Amino acid sequence: MSAILAITRKDLRLMFRDKGEMFFTFLFPMILATFFGFIFGGGSDGGSKIEVALVVESDSKLAAGIAGDLQADVAFEVVSVQTRALATDLVRAGKVTAAVILPASMQDGIGNLFGGGGGIPIEAIVDPSRRAEVGLIQGKLNELAFRQFPKLFSDGDAMTQFASTARTSVAQSSSLTPGQKLAASALIAAGDSLSKSLITDAAPADGEASGSGVAGWSPVAITIQELPAKKGGPRNAFDVSFPQGIVWGLAGCVMAFATSLVAERMRGTLDRLRLAPITRSQLLAGKGLACFITALLVQVLLLGLAIVAFGSTVEQPFMLCVAFVATAFAFSGLSMLIAGACRTEAQAQGAGRGALLLLAMIGGGTIPLFLMPPFFKSVSMASPFRWAVSAIEGPFWRGSNLSDQLLPLAILTAIGIVGFTVGVRATRSAAR
Amino acid sequence: MNACSHAYPSQQTEYAVQHSMLALRNIRKSFGSTIAVQDLTLDVQQGEIFGLLGPNGAGKSTTIAIATGLVAPTSGEVNLLGQGSPSQPSVRRSIGLAPQEITLYAELTARENLLFYAALYGVEHAGKRVDELLNLVELDTRATSRVSTFSGGMKRRLNLAAALVHDPKLLLLDEPTAGVDPQSRNRILELVRELSAQGKTIVYTTHYMEEAAKICHRVGIVDHGKMLDVGSPRELIARHGGSSAVTVTRSGVDERVVTVDPAAEVARQLAIGGATGLRIEQPDLESVFLNLTGRSLRE
């Protein structure tokens, strides 16, 4: 095992010291993915804003206030839509994180707080797979409702009507003693007076006025309906461009290791390795492991960049890890196959790289698979890159289930096995 | 030097096979219609420096490759250290090879190269061993430099060190001085002698007859894949070197006299008088090769 690790360490060290291979394996795919992401419009609007569809059914000032504050908030990209049906479609299509509905039952005045609803009614339709963003939206809606709080008490007509109704109820009550009725009437009068004073003195409402003295009690009744987004479409351009970048990274990785194996044969270092007291399988396992680790690193770094820099999220992390491993295995096998098929470094650099570029192009490296015409979609099935993209995109943004993943994973595994088997045999026969 | 050399070419005894560090029996190797090695039989004894001398393309490197198991012979038998075929990893552990090519990783440092090979062989205290070897080949001051920055001579010395990293009993050096400057060549020849003094058995291929004559206990003359003869340089010269020659210059004219006793001939010419120049040509391994093959070693 230590011999295998020694070969792996040596190959990784050589790989990381080769500036050209490093560029084509890591940097170029990152540049490409970022470039295409922006070209496709992924980063043009500042990307990190949470997209929300807003439906205002209420014609109250309160609803207008909440809607205005939400639209002005820098953390949100608000799309105003006319009906809740349209908003629901947007959530289902994954085009927005949530739909916020300010229902017709939302009224001006304090009645919102003490009416049957138990608070300002707000409805939200959310995609449950985006819980972190949904949590932010809930917090923001509470904050916006608090901001409207002074307005509820500064609606003079509503407050006067509320006080009048209360006075009548107290006066007609048979259960209250005269003393209690006097105290209640004084309390109502004081409240009415406070309301009138708020109307007279109130400064324009602002966020600082909210919340004080109401701890433990929420003035907002947010009703949340979960609606899973229909999978099948990318959430932004980077969801597509980064798997494309991975294609080119894998191509660079395969070429680097295939060429390195051919170079070892041509320069005689392979003879020295063969002379060491290790088996041929150990030798090739060491080299394959180095390629496997690099292929894994390419995928992790590229999707890591998509997540950290461009706000992409992973639908199914575990399945994505499985896809990474299967892809790395397949492309390690492919590098063995090319190394076995090419007799010279020139062959590997020319024919090998040419074949890989072609496979990368038809496999989704240039045009995303879902944009390909049907004929090219069929042709792309001949490319291992196509299956890598399918395996990665499934858990990354398509939300594919296990049965959807089985085919690409099985094909990638088969490519790896065939690549290693044929590559090892070809390498053996290529030895003098 | 072992007396078993007299067993060449066909009378190999069981004793010789059992005590050979390297025994090749009737080795034949063909690549398509090209025959690289023809019925080559050879015994290298413990502690000796055995030279394989022949021109480029004579089959020396193929013989080395067969001896190490890198190339399978078309027919014949290879036995290393009396333990069997080099296809067994345990047998291969006892041999070290410095191939004709520089088999080092140019983008690794000298130290990293040696540590890598040490790891392949599971060498204990690899760091200490590598330091010793870097001292031995006088590259300790360049231990952390990448091989790509080395001169040809430095690369050759490191190539030799890489073959020694696991302290092999049998060392095969394939043209170890090819393309190096005289200073590095002398250092490599000194190293080979030092290693031999430490008890290592060395097979040394070269097309430089001066090197073979200088360091080898025994030499095998190879041409067109055939072993033409084996013996000490002195024995080979005595068998195939032919006569000496004395060239006398009188009045600007050279006269070449072939003789078996050059000292007597010089005395005779001096007695005649009038000589303005005298040059003695003694046979060497070049003469041996010329007489055996009808052509020069460097053709």
Side-chain angles (χ1 to χ4, degrees), chain B:
Chain B
M1 194 163 67
N2 193 296
C4 289
S5 60
H6 297 304
Y8 182 84
S10 57
Q11 298 173 348
Q12 302 295 341
T13 64
E14 192 63 23
Y15 174 87
V17 171
Q18 285 174 357
H19 291 79
S20 278
M21 293 296 281
L22 169 64
L24 303 180
R25 292 285 173 275
N26 305 312
I27 296 294
R28 184 180 177 83
K29 178 67 187 178
S30 53
F31 297 101
S33 59
T34 306
I35 298 171
V37 180
Q38 298 185 57
D39 298 322
L40 190 144
T41 293
L42 169 69
D43 275 298
V44 178
Q45 304 303 317
Q46 188 170 0
E48 73 174 335
I49 303 174
F50 185 93
L52 275 176
L53 180 66
N56 290 328
K60 304 187 296 290
S61 293
T62 306
T63 303
I64 291 286
I66 290 169
T68 53
L70 292 172
V71 170
T74 307
S75 62
E77 185 189 332
V78 180
N79 192 301
L80 284 164
L81 297 89
Q83 294 173 5
S85 149
S87 61
Q88 302 166 49
S90 60
V91 174
R92 289 207 303 274
R93 188 179 288 277
S94 302
I95 58 176
L97 170 68
Q100 189 170 351
E101 302 91 358
I102 301 291
T103 49
L104 300 166
Y105 298 97
E107 293 311 314
L108 297 185
T109 67
R111 190 177 165 76
E112 286 169 346
N113 267 287
L114 296 187
L115 282 172
F116 167 62
Y117 287 119
L120 287 187
Y121 284 88
V123 174
E124 288 183 5
H125 310 296
K128 188 170 172 239
R129 174 68 181 155
V130 165
D131 288 340
E132 286 169 4
L133 287 172
L134 286 169
N135 273 319
L136 182 72
V137 297
E138 297 177 353
L139 286 173
D140 46 323
T141 56
R142 298 294 302 273
T144 55
S145 299
R146 291 193 188 179
V147 172
S148 56
T149 65
F150 284 9
S151 69
M154 292 162 81
K155 286 177 186 170
R156 279 279 165 210
R157 280 183 273 148
L158 190 62
N159 206 35
L160 175 57
L164 291 166
V165 77
H166 57 294
D167 198 18
K169 292 175 183 161
L170 173 63
L171 191 58
L172 298 112
L173 309 178
D174 193 2
E175 302 268 7
T177 60
V180 303
D181 57 277
Q183 193 181 352
S184 284
R185 171 175 297 188
N186 288 337
R187 179 62 195 136
I188 289 170
L189 295 179
E190 270 175 39
L191 275 171
V192 172
R193 282 204 200 93
E194 284 171 33
L195 292 167
S196 173
Q198 290 169 17
K200 297 211 182 297
T201 305
I202 297 166
V203 177
Y204 188 104
T205 80
T206 183
H207 61 274
Y208 297 118
M209 65 95 190
E210 303 91 342
E211 286 182 7
K214 199 183 272 186
I215 65 167
C216 293
H217 299 127
R218 285 194 305 146
V219 173
I221 307 287
V222 188
D223 192 36
H224 292 123
K226 284 185 180 169
M227 184 68 84
L228 301 179
D229 200 359
V230 176
S232 69
R234 190 186 294 264
E235 287 169 343
L236 288 171
I237 291 165
R239 284 205 286 269
H240 307 288
S243 301
S244 299
V246 175
T247 302
V248 189
T249 308
R250 287 193 181 88
S251 307
V253 178
D254 286 348
E255 183 192 357
R256 190 167 186 269
V257 182
V258 175
T259 174
V260 292
D261 188 353
E265 181 59 29
V266 167
R268 194 178 72 83
Q269 292 293 343
L270 289 174
I272 293 170
T276 55
L278 268 173
R279 193 170 70 250
I280 303 167
E281 296 168 39
Q282 288 190 302
D284 53 19
L285 290 175
E286 177 73 42
S287 318
V288 171
F289 190 82
L290 185 67
N291 289 329
L292 282 171
T293 66
R295 59 197 178 89
S296 166
L297 197 54
R298 290 184 177 82
E299 276 178 15

Side-chain angles (χ1 to χ4, degrees), chain A residues 2-3 6-7 9-11 13-14 17 264 266-279 432, chain B residues 68 70-71 89 92-93 95 97-99 101 103-105 107-108 112 116-117 119-121 146 159 162-163:
Chain A
S2 62
I7 294 168
R9 259 198 316 273
K10 181 266 294 175
D11 276 359
R13 192 171 270 160
L14 288 173
R17 284 185 186 172
E264 292 237 34
M266 296 302 297
R267 295 172 193 174
T269 45
L270 189 63
D271 282 349
R272 211 164 217 166
L273 301 185
R274 288 172 57 209
L275 201 59
I278 56 172
T279 63
R432 286 181 296 171
Chain B
T68 53
L70 292 172
V71 170
R92 289 207 303 274
R93 188 179 288 277
I95 58 176
L97 170 68
E101 302 91 358
T103 49
L104 300 166
Y105 298 97
E107 293 311 314
L108 297 185
E112 286 169 346
F116 167 62
Y117 287 119
L120 287 187
Y121 284 88
R146 291 193 188 179
N159 206 35

